[in-house]
Amino acid sequence: MKTKKIFYNYVMGGSEESFLDEGELDFFPDDYFEEPTPALKGYPEYRHSKCPAFKEYYRNTWVMKQCFPLGMLYKSTEQYLSTNLGQDVFDEYVMLGDGWTDGEHPEIQFKQGYCFWTEDSDVWIEQFQHPEMTRKGLDVVSGTFPLSVWQRPINLGFTIKTHDKNIWIEKGSPLCYVRFFSQRTRDVKFTLEKRSIPKEVLKRQLQSL
């Protein structure tokens, strides 16, 4: 079985400075960011967890997690989103475009970015829903792209399905799954390693913002 390596690091905020200034992360304590964990690590002992097809599906999958406690309440009548964050922190962490909270399914994006890159070929990344977020009434905006040739950051976008009820996301709560795969073969094992982001990778990521 071939092994391919994925490197990663964190980026907070949605500005160009966030991606260009590697020193920005130094302002956070060591235990602030929650490391991605393998999807099957600590998975409950359901009957289906022993199924070979299930284990194959999640073999190269990791869980992305919330970095701090976050409370939200979407008020449908007012079409307004309130949180437990101060305005400065809200502006730094939450992205709300014009009209995003209008309509039947309001949307929100967290500026909790992940920078993934690889030196291997034929590597794809897929971001998809975690059942814990379904229970909270938040649906992740899923997507996939070829990481080998398109190195862009991933942020966390959600549609809000729970209206007029408090939503609480504890630190360490699962936000979504991220899976890596190759299109030309399934006989690949992926490893994940945290590393400082090289300048050339930062520039490519910035071009994709």
Side-chain angles (χ1 to χ4, degrees):
M1 178 179 291
K2 183 177 179 58
T3 299
K4 296 186 179 183
K5 184 173 288 188
I6 308 294
F7 306 107
Y8 80 97
N9 213 314
Y10 311 99
V11 179
M12 292 294 289
S15 66
E16 294 186 4
E17 290 79 9
S18 301
F19 284 86
L20 289 175
D21 184 7
E22 293 174 275
E24 180 175 299
L25 297 180
D26 295 337
F27 291 101
F28 295 95
D30 292 338
D31 62 351
Y32 177 80
F33 291 106
E34 296 284 338
E35 292 187 3
T37 57
L40 294 177
K41 182 179 180 180
Y43 191 86
E45 290 295 322
Y46 296 114
R47 290 185 178 88
H48 70 256
S49 65
K50 297 178 174 58
C51 171
F54 174 84
K55 290 191 286 187
E56 173 64 21
Y57 185 81
Y58 286 98
R59 180 165 55 89
N60 290 311
T61 303
W62 280 260
V63 180
M64 305 291 106
K65 299 180 179 180
Q66 176 67 13
C67 292
F68 59 88
L70 175 62
M72 297 188 298
L73 173 63
Y74 176 71
K75 302 175 182 179
S76 59
T77 303
E78 304 171 38
Q79 297 186 335
Y80 178 77
L81 180 72
S82 63
T83 72
N84 64 331
L85 306 178
Q87 190 62 50
D88 290 345
V89 178
F90 181 92
D91 293 340
E92 181 66 22
Y93 185 72
V94 176
M95 179 181 292
L96 286 177
D98 291 339
W100 283 21
T101 58
D102 299 343
E104 185 178 354
H105 300 300
E107 296 180 282
I108 185 175
Q109 181 169 296
F110 299 163
K111 300 178 189 177
Q112 179 175 316
Y114 294 90
C115 176
F116 293 100
W117 72 99
T118 184
E119 297 171 356
D120 291 304
S121 61
D122 188 29
V123 176
W124 286 68
I125 183 173
E126 179 185 4
Q127 181 179 0
F128 62 102
Q129 180 80 357
H130 193 284
E132 286 297 322
M133 297 306 279
T134 303
R135 297 184 186 103
K136 296 180 186 299
L138 295 171
D139 286 355
V140 72
V141 179
S142 302
T144 185
F145 57 91
L147 189 64
S148 296
V149 297
W150 188 18
Q151 294 179 353
R152 49 157 294 179
I154 66 168
N155 287 321
L156 299 166
F158 299 94
T159 57
I160 304 173
K161 300 297 182 66
T162 295
H163 301 174
D164 305 307
K165 293 182 181 179
N166 289 315
I167 299 173
W168 183 256
I169 307 175
E170 191 58 80
K171 176 178 171 62
S173 295
L175 293 175
C176 71
Y177 286 119
V178 168
R179 177 167 52 222
F180 301 95
F181 63 95
S182 292
Q183 288 195 328
R184 290 192 288 270
T185 178
R186 294 195 61 85
D187 193 24
V188 179
K189 177 184 178 181
F190 289 92
T191 62
L192 202 59
E193 177 183 322
K194 186 182 178 191
R195 179 179 289 189
S196 296
I197 308 174
K199 289 290 187 182
E200 62 272 16
V201 173
L202 278 170
K203 290 179 181 178
R204 288 197 295 270
Q205 297 265 332
L206 180 59
Q207 291 170 356
S208 299
L209 286 177

